[in-house]
Amino acid sequence: MENFQFNNPTDIRFGKGHIEPELHDAVAQFGNNVLFVYGGHSIKKSGLYDQVKNLLKDLNIVELGGVAANPKIESVREGQKLAKDNNVDVILAVGGGSVIDASKVISSAKFYDGDPWDLVVNENGADSHKIDEVPIVDILTLSATGTEMNRNAVISNMEINEKIGTTVPNTPAVSFLDPSLTETVPARQTAAGSIDIMSHLTEQYFDCAENNDVSKGLIEGIMQAVIKWAPIAIKDPTNYDARANLMWASTMALNSIVNVSNINEWTVHPLEHELSAYYDITHGIGLGILTPRWMNKVIEDKTTLPLFARLARNVWHLSGDDDLELAKAAIQKTSDWNKSLGAEMTLPEVGIKDETNFEAMAKSAVKEGSLDTDAYIKLTVEDAVEIYRASLK
Amino acid sequence: MENFQFNNPTDIRFGKGHIEPELHDAVAQFGNNVLFVYGGHSIKKSGLYDQVKNLLKDLNIVELGGVAANPKIESVREGQKLAKDNNVDVILAVGGGSVIDASKVISSAKFYDGDPWDLVVNENGADSHKIDEVPIVDILTLSATGTEMNRNAVISNMEINEKIGTTVPNTPAVSFLDPSLTETVPARQTAAGSIDIMSHLTEQYFDCAENNDVSKGLIEGIMQAVIKWAPIAIKDPTNYDARANLMWASTMALNSIVNVSNINEWTVHPLEHELSAYYDITHGIGLGILTPRWMNKVIEDKTTLPLFARLARNVWHLSGDDDLELAKAAIQKTSDWNKSLGAEMTLPEVGIKDETNFEAMAKSAVKEGSLDTDAYIKLTVEDAVEIYRASLK
């Protein structure tokens, strides 16, 4: 087992009935000047916007609405100006991962005089970890990214065509996770979110660190909850327990508790980022297409087979003595489960008909993801092309 | 799934090699006046005492040594006086659960003018949650209680024959968990500690809250790690990975992450407390004797059988269609595992030959543990006597 440091102080308020009695004090403990960040119309339509405004009516609220999916640096710049001009004490982020991610960078940008893009890329002497920051309180409305309990943020800068993952000094101070707020999430988005959660878990499960059994066991446990409840949430969108298990699974999958002792970097996410960048397909759907092909590519390596067989036994409850057969059956189960959620399972189904861009995508994925040096099983550009190609049929 | 709040800000430094470079700053961040709390001679013998003194030689250190197992209120009183007289800024606790538990109460007692026993029992207007406190940094030397990452402390007051569990406002600020420090723990204590970890997990697994699958999965994952590594640690005490998995399992088992949505209270711990109180047997050994008997007592309740069968399938990897047969096989596996660690499996083996005190013990356990109202399966005094009686053979 490898050495590690773990520290995650986010105060989680999970379930129905926390927002009404607790939101005001959770925000006001940090001061009276609040930057209220949100996305589109959905929180106005659902009544959440009015509820929040009403609960905080004695505080000074400035608003930053319209934060889009794949949050843009322009929103962060706008937030920086509002935070400075109004000397905000606390940011209230209400929405999905994009709203919270943008808020995380605004949090330090209030105390930075340059362009906040510097904070994202750690350039021009900007290091958000050495800059003061405004605490964040959030109300999550989508189960997927885990940003509500981690230090990650992804910000896009369309002028220079970059989408960069960055880390911030602190996790959100208080996160309100009310699963009933996700009951209106459409089936396709629920499927994509659930596949994303499974992919986060899979990326962390397949790691080279040895004898890391507590972490492996935790991941297996969360996987089984996702496998069980995602199809139920899709069939029965207002099933509270389904939404609750998915929401808590998404948080636990990416709050750093399940990968404390891991050593290698992720593989399928870098491969998928190219699909989304070139063809603008839904991230979770892309992960669902690529994951079984990546698994097929790496199962026969003698170092991976025992772990694939373990996944088969402990997560998919398969039995047998032949590890390779077990591994193949686990891949089939993964694929069948994705399909059962209504997700497309080949590239042509999402409009990618030929391999025109595969070489360029593979080069970029290998470079950005350090797949040839830091992955679980190292991949060359040719390996990556093969995985894309296998996804065509 | 039930509503919950979760917040655990302890900064964990896990593994070899954290103490030397990090201990000084972890302590000194809170100030220069340090109360160094420890137990007996073992940290002097192992060299840890000298290492700590040397690393902190530029700080003002006052010492409170000799904190005994089942820490006494006298140690806390002594610590309170030292903390006040020397205006300590931070407590460094080096040892097992007892040393850290005593430190937790001293932490608030510095700011309380009355007897610290008031803080333990929340009497005479004393409420540690409303009193300021000194941060705690600890170095753990025994895997068992989880106190290094929770808000619990157990303090004994021998004058009035009470041993009380209490909660404190905060978890330790920084916990150094170096598994190699536990390599000298004797086999019997390793067995007792491992059974204690399994019991913590079992008590939280058998809970009435429904559809709590993330938590159930996390518990199953940690259980499998303990089942695998405890026998290895006993056979090969310096096996680092065995010590590491047990140490991280013990922390994760009781840092509140696996029972976030639970609703009922524990059963086997209150039953065992009476055994230890009446006969002074080792806590973990007592848990190992009682657990299978408690399981046998409650498996045939129709509400419990599916969960016992799930334990059989997911943790012990048993298969079959008859839930009752599976449940019985899981109980046998539990019993066999305890025995394989060298633990005594009947009361006569630990010197308890007859049922003289069973009625009194059962009455006290039912009362103290609210077993007739708040347990997973409610137990009467007669039920409790039956469990003790079944443990005689």
Side-chain angles (χ1 to χ4, degrees):
Chain A
M1 220 171 130
E2 305 294 313
N3 295 346
F4 65 83
Q5 176 173 7
F6 176 79
N7 171 233
N8 193 325
T10 298
D11 186 346
I12 297 286
R13 314 286 175 95
F14 189 97
K16 292 180 277 203
H18 280 287
I19 294 173
E20 190 81 27
E22 299 170 23
L23 181 69
H24 179 278
D25 289 358
V27 172
Q29 69 177 315
F30 301 113
N32 289 323
N33 298 333
V34 184
L35 177 62
F36 175 17
V37 182
Y38 56 94
H41 295 294
S42 66
I43 71 161
K44 291 196 174 163
K45 204 171 136 194
S46 71
L48 183 57
Y49 173 89
D50 287 335
Q51 186 191 16
V52 166
K53 292 277 282 190
N54 191 44
L55 287 169
L56 306 185
K57 63 181 176 231
D58 67 326
L59 305 177
N60 309 320
I61 302 208
V62 287
E63 296 185 26
L64 172 65
V67 174
N70 297 318
K72 310 296 180 292
I73 189 65
E74 285 79 8
S75 290
V76 177
R77 289 179 184 135
E78 205 181 327
Q80 178 188 37
K81 186 169 180 342
L82 289 170
K84 282 178 177 287
D85 290 352
N86 298 281
N87 192 23
V88 307
D89 304 307
V90 50
I91 299 174
L92 174 64
V94 181
S98 301
V99 168
I100 300 173
D101 281 8
S103 300
K104 281 176 171 176
V105 182
I106 296 169
S107 165
S108 297
K110 184 202 160 184
F111 298 99
Y112 181 66
D113 289 331
D115 181 14
W117 185 249
D118 298 345
L119 295 166
V120 176
V121 293
N122 292 311
E123 275 176 11
N124 296 323
D127 178 354
S128 67
H129 293 257
K130 293 182 179 164
I131 294 173
D132 201 2
E133 53 165 8
V134 182
I136 293 170
V137 175
D138 65 77
I139 300 175
L140 185 69
T141 60
L142 189 72
S143 305
T145 75
T147 188
E148 63 277 9
M149 201 180 178
N150 68 35
R151 294 176 173 84
N152 307 329
V154 181
I155 306 292
S156 294
N157 186 334
M158 305 314 285
E159 288 164 27
I160 53 175
N161 241 343
E162 291 204 50
K163 179 176 172 180
I164 302 275
T166 189
T167 68
V168 301
N170 279 310
T171 64
V174 187
S175 287
F176 287 87
L177 311 186
D178 181 347
S180 65
L181 295 176
T182 66
E183 288 175 2
T184 52
V185 175
R188 187 179 158 81
Q189 218 173 329
T190 301
S194 301
I195 294 170
D196 197 16
I197 301 169
M198 274 298 276
S199 177
H200 295 158
L201 293 165
T202 304
E203 301 264 30
Q204 296 172 105
Y205 189 74
F206 289 100
D207 184 88
C208 302
E210 287 182 353
N211 297 323
N212 200 357
D213 282 305
V214 175
S215 295
K216 292 273 186 282
L218 297 174
I219 294 174
E220 290 165 355
I222 304 171
M223 280 180 166
Q224 291 170 81
V226 177
I227 290 167
K228 172 179 171 181
W229 288 104
I232 298 172
I234 286 167
K235 254 182 234 132
D236 178 11
T238 59
N239 184 310
Y240 178 81
D241 285 320
R243 297 297 189 176
N245 274 278
L246 289 178
M247 186 169 253
W248 188 227
S250 74
T251 305
M252 286 295 294
L254 218 51
N255 63 3
S256 296
I257 197 83
V258 304
N259 75 335
V260 286
S261 193
N262 278 9
I263 51 179
N264 56 247
E265 299 295 326
W266 295 13
T267 300
V268 182
H269 272 66
L271 290 171
E272 198 294 318
H273 283 159
E274 302 301 322
L275 282 185
S276 287
Y278 275 78
Y279 298 99
D280 199 25
I281 70 168
T282 304
H283 174 59
I285 301 297
L287 293 170
I289 294 171
L290 292 173
T291 296
R293 276 75 180 199
W294 166 76
M295 287 178 160
N296 266 319
K297 173 81 194 153
V298 303
I299 43 167
E300 302 210 23
D301 186 298
K302 68 177 185 300
T303 61
T304 70
L305 206 48
L307 192 49
F308 273 97
R310 177 176 171 161
L311 179 82
R313 291 190 180 95
N314 290 5
V315 174
W316 295 108
H317 301 283
L318 301 167
S319 56
D321 295 325
D322 183 329
D323 278 4
L324 183 59
E325 286 310 307
L326 277 173
K328 285 182 178 169
I331 297 172
Q332 190 59 49
K333 283 277 193 184
T334 303
S335 197
D336 292 347
W337 180 78
N338 291 347
K339 202 170 171 181
S340 80
L341 303 182
E344 294 86 348
M345 289 309 299
T346 67
L347 291 179
E349 290 174 74
V350 292
I352 304 172
K353 309 284 187 194
D354 60 53
E355 53 185 270
T356 313
N357 295 309
F358 287 178
E359 183 79 18
M361 286 160 51
K363 276 187 183 155
S364 176
V366 168
K367 181 164 173 267
E368 295 297 328
S370 304
L371 300 184
D372 52 347
T373 53
D374 298 341
Y376 173 59
I377 294 296
K378 296 175 183 42
L379 297 183
T380 63
V381 171
E382 193 41 51
D383 294 329
V385 169
E386 236 179 80
I387 291 169
Y388 289 131
R389 204 176 281 146
S391 307
L392 280 171
K393 51 184 189 293
Chain B
M1 220 172 130
E2 304 295 312
N3 296 346
F4 65 84
Q5 177 173 7
F6 176 79
N7 171 234
N8 193 325
T10 299
D11 187 345
I12 297 285
R13 314 285 175 95
F14 189 96
K16 292 179 277 204
H18 279 288
I19 294 173
E20 189 81 26
E22 298 170 23
L23 181 69
H24 179 277
D25 290 359
V27 172
Q29 68 177 315
F30 300 113
N32 289 324
N33 298 333
V34 184
L35 177 62
F36 175 16
V37 182
Y38 55 94
H41 294 294
S42 67
I43 70 162
K44 292 196 174 164
K45 204 171 137 194
S46 72
L48 183 57
Y49 173 89
D50 287 335
Q51 186 190 17
V52 166
K53 292 277 281 191
N54 192 43
L55 288 169
L56 306 185
K57 62 179 176 237
D58 67 325
L59 304 178
N60 310 320
I61 301 207
V62 286
E63 297 186 25
L64 172 64
V67 174
N70 298 318
K72 309 297 179 292
I73 190 64
E74 284 79 9
S75 290
V76 177
R77 288 178 185 137
E78 204 181 329
Q80 178 188 37
K81 185 167 179 348
L82 289 170
K84 282 178 179 287
D85 290 352
N86 298 280
N87 192 25
V88 306
D89 303 307
V90 50
I91 299 174
L92 174 64
V94 181
S98 301
V99 168
I100 300 174
D101 281 7
S103 299
K104 281 176 170 175
V105 181
I106 295 168
S107 166
S108 298
K110 184 202 161 184
F111 299 99
Y112 182 65
D113 289 330
D115 181 14
W117 185 250
D118 297 345
L119 296 165
V120 176
V121 292
N122 292 310
E123 274 175 13
N124 296 323
D127 178 354
S128 66
H129 294 257
K130 293 182 179 164
I131 295 175
D132 201 2
E133 53 165 9
V134 181
I136 293 171
V137 176
D138 64 76
I139 301 175
L140 185 69
T141 60
L142 190 72
S143 305
T145 74
T147 188
E148 63 277 9
M149 200 179 180
N150 68 35
R151 295 176 173 85
N152 307 330
V154 181
I155 305 292
S156 294
N157 187 334
M158 304 314 284
E159 288 164 27
I160 53 175
N161 241 342
E162 291 204 49
K163 180 176 172 180
I164 302 275
T166 188
T167 68
V168 300
N170 279 310
T171 63
V174 187
S175 288
F176 288 87
L177 312 186
D178 181 347
S180 65
L181 296 175
T182 66
E183 288 174 3
T184 51
V185 175
R188 187 179 158 82
Q189 217 174 331
T190 301
S194 301
I195 294 170
D196 197 16
I197 302 169
M198 274 299 276
S199 177
H200 295 159
L201 294 165
T202 304
E203 300 264 29
Q204 296 172 102
Y205 189 75
F206 289 99
D207 184 88
C208 301
E210 287 184 352
N211 296 323
N212 200 357
D213 282 305
V214 176
S215 295
K216 291 273 186 283
L218 297 175
I219 294 174
E220 289 165 356
I222 304 171
M223 280 180 167
Q224 291 171 80
V226 177
I227 290 167
K228 172 179 172 181
W229 288 104
I232 298 171
I234 286 167
K235 254 182 234 134
D236 178 10
T238 59
N239 184 310
Y240 179 81
D241 285 321
R243 297 297 188 174
N245 274 277
L246 290 178
M247 187 171 253
W248 187 228
S250 73
T251 305
M252 287 295 294
L254 217 51
N255 64 3
S256 296
I257 198 82
V258 304
N259 74 336
V260 286
S261 194
N262 278 10
I263 51 180
N264 57 247
E265 299 295 327
W266 295 14
T267 299
V268 182
H269 272 66
L271 290 172
E272 198 294 317
H273 284 159
E274 302 302 322
L275 282 185
S276 287
Y278 275 78
Y279 299 99
D280 198 25
I281 70 168
T282 304
H283 175 58
I285 301 297
L287 293 170
I289 294 171
L290 292 174
T291 297
R293 276 75 180 199
W294 166 75
M295 288 177 160
N296 266 320
K297 172 82 195 153
V298 302
I299 43 168
E300 302 211 25
D301 187 298
K302 68 178 184 301
T303 61
T304 70
L305 205 48
L307 192 49
F308 273 97
R310 177 177 171 160
L311 179 82
R313 291 189 179 95
N314 291 5
V315 174
W316 295 108
H317 301 284
L318 301 168
S319 56
D321 294 325
D322 182 330
D323 278 3
L324 183 58
E325 286 310 309
L326 277 173
K328 285 181 178 169
I331 297 171
Q332 189 60 48
K333 283 277 192 185
T334 303
S335 198
D336 291 348
W337 180 77
N338 290 347
K339 202 169 171 181
S340 80
L341 303 182
E344 293 85 348
M345 289 309 299
T346 66
L347 291 180
E349 289 174 75
V350 292
I352 304 172
K353 309 283 187 193
D354 60 54
E355 54 184 88
T356 314
N357 295 310
F358 287 178
E359 183 79 17
M361 286 160 52
K363 275 186 185 156
S364 176
V366 168
K367 180 164 175 264
E368 295 296 328
S370 303
L371 300 184
D372 53 346
T373 53
D374 299 341
Y376 172 60
I377 294 296
K378 297 175 182 40
L379 297 182
T380 62
V381 171
E382 193 41 51
D383 293 329
V385 168
E386 236 179 81
I387 291 167
Y388 289 131
R389 204 176 280 146
S391 307
L392 280 172
K393 52 185 187 292

